[in-house]
Amino acid sequence: MTSRTATLIGLAAILMWSLLAVMTVATGHIPAFQLAAMTFAIGGLAGCTSWLFRPEGVSALRQPAVVWLVGVGGLFGYHALYFIALRQAPPAEAGLLNYLWPLLIVLFSSMLPGERLASHHLIGAILGLAGTVSLFAGGTSIVFERVQMSGLAAAFMAAFVWSAYSVLSRRLASVPTDAVAGFCLATAALAAVAHLLMEQTVWPDSAAQWLAIAALGIGPVGLAFYVWDIGMKRGDIRVLGAAAYATPLLSTAFLILAGFAKPTAALAVASVLIAGGGLIAAKDMIWK
């Protein structure tokens, strides 16, 4: 597989993740860890089905402890934080904070061997920070309550977890993508335990919610991880990082189209600043 092909495959994950927020909200009031357990089980089992025709694929599960720590820690940590954020905070604002991860991927990847942190990386980071600050600067009609503040904090931490996982995947390029199925199933098990300890089970009350859960497990919490892993390990990580800055704009647009958010000036300013900061940080990648 060429780097170009792997990059194109990785780009498919960006489109699927643009639908993550709207699909999560469409699942109703299912507790965060229960939702994670259900969707990751679907995503993991979907990956395992190919082993019926490729029995050798199961051997990818034999990995050192550090690989499992990065894989499961990244998937479980990120989605637990993100689902909590979407439950406790307004989905558009939580989504924009969470989508600082493309900018962070640029910053973290510049620390990889042979790369350096240039001035435009810092300028992009400052603009991204300005975008998050604009959410609290009085330009929004939403008054954040304490529970919403904790949700926004969870979204902010999720951005750091996912960017670290993505960049570390590059350092673990020898690990087969089949291992992602194991990471998904382990994440589903951890989420199920957390659900039983901390939450009350709430089942979907409509066919539409069941369909949203199935779609979430197959797409943004399933196939997207496999194609992203291919892109991070074999493709151009800089191009993928730059392209990912379209995600917050697409995500917010889908939320507005679905009726889960309203188009406000504050959201527009935050979207432009975060996306603009990311584009500036990745300008050398884009021009290349």
Side-chain angles (χ1 to χ4, degrees):
M1 180 183 297
T2 65
S3 175
R4 178 184 177 84
T5 300
T7 302
L8 291 174
I9 291 174
L11 289 173
I14 295 172
L15 179 59
M16 284 186 275
W17 286 330
S18 298
L19 295 167
L20 179 59
V22 67
M23 285 186 176
T24 300
V25 177
T27 60
H29 299 287
I30 300 174
F33 287 109
Q34 178 187 348
L35 182 61
M38 296 171 70
T39 53
F40 271 101
I42 295 172
L45 291 174
C48 293
T49 56
S50 67
W51 298 347
L52 297 175
F53 311 98
R54 300 183 304 107
E56 69 278 4
V58 70
S59 63
L61 299 180
R62 292 195 294 268
Q63 299 295 333
V66 65
V67 174
W68 282 91
L69 179 63
V70 171
V72 179
L75 296 185
F76 177 73
Y78 169 76
H79 283 85
L81 290 167
Y82 188 47
F83 285 145
I84 289 173
L86 291 178
R87 286 291 179 264
Q88 296 184 351
E93 283 79 357
L96 285 171
L97 278 172
N98 167 73
Y99 285 123
L100 281 171
W101 62 260
L103 177 59
L104 294 173
I105 285 180
V106 173
L107 295 176
F108 291 164
S109 63
S110 68
M111 302 176 188
L112 292 172
E115 305 294 342
R116 64 184 181 85
L117 186 63
S119 60
H120 59 275
H121 293 134
L122 296 176
I123 294 173
I126 293 172
L127 285 177
L129 179 60
T132 64
V133 171
S134 70
L135 296 177
F136 305 91
T140 176
S141 59
I142 297 174
V143 177
F144 295 114
E145 301 173 357
R146 172 174 290 186
V147 66
Q148 293 176 328
M149 292 297 292
S150 63
L152 294 172
F156 190 73
M157 290 187 290
F160 279 88
V161 171
W162 185 251
S163 56
Y165 163 78
S166 297
V167 175
L168 287 173
S169 294
R170 187 72 164 194
R171 302 299 298 269
L172 301 174
S174 61
V175 178
T177 297
D178 280 305
V180 175
F183 301 157
C184 288
L185 293 176
T187 297
L190 288 175
V193 171
H195 165 64
L196 294 174
L197 292 175
M198 297 184 288
E199 299 173 338
Q200 182 177 356
T201 301
V202 177
W203 294 110
D205 55 15
S206 69
Q209 290 181 3
W210 278 109
L211 287 174
I213 291 171
L216 195 63
I218 294 173
V221 190
L223 179 60
F225 295 133
Y226 300 101
V227 297
W228 185 250
D229 187 76
I230 292 172
M232 286 290 102
K233 291 178 177 177
R234 304 179 186 178
D236 191 327
I237 190 173
R238 297 288 190 163
V239 171
L240 288 170
Y245 295 118
T247 310
L249 301 180
L250 291 173
S251 179
T252 303
F254 286 133
L255 284 168
I256 292 173
L257 290 174
F260 295 126
K262 295 181 179 180
T264 65
L267 289 178
V269 170
S271 296
V272 170
L273 286 173
I274 292 175
L279 291 172
I280 290 175
K283 73 176 185 69
D284 52 349
M285 309 176 208
I286 296 172
W287 286 115
K288 285 182 181 180

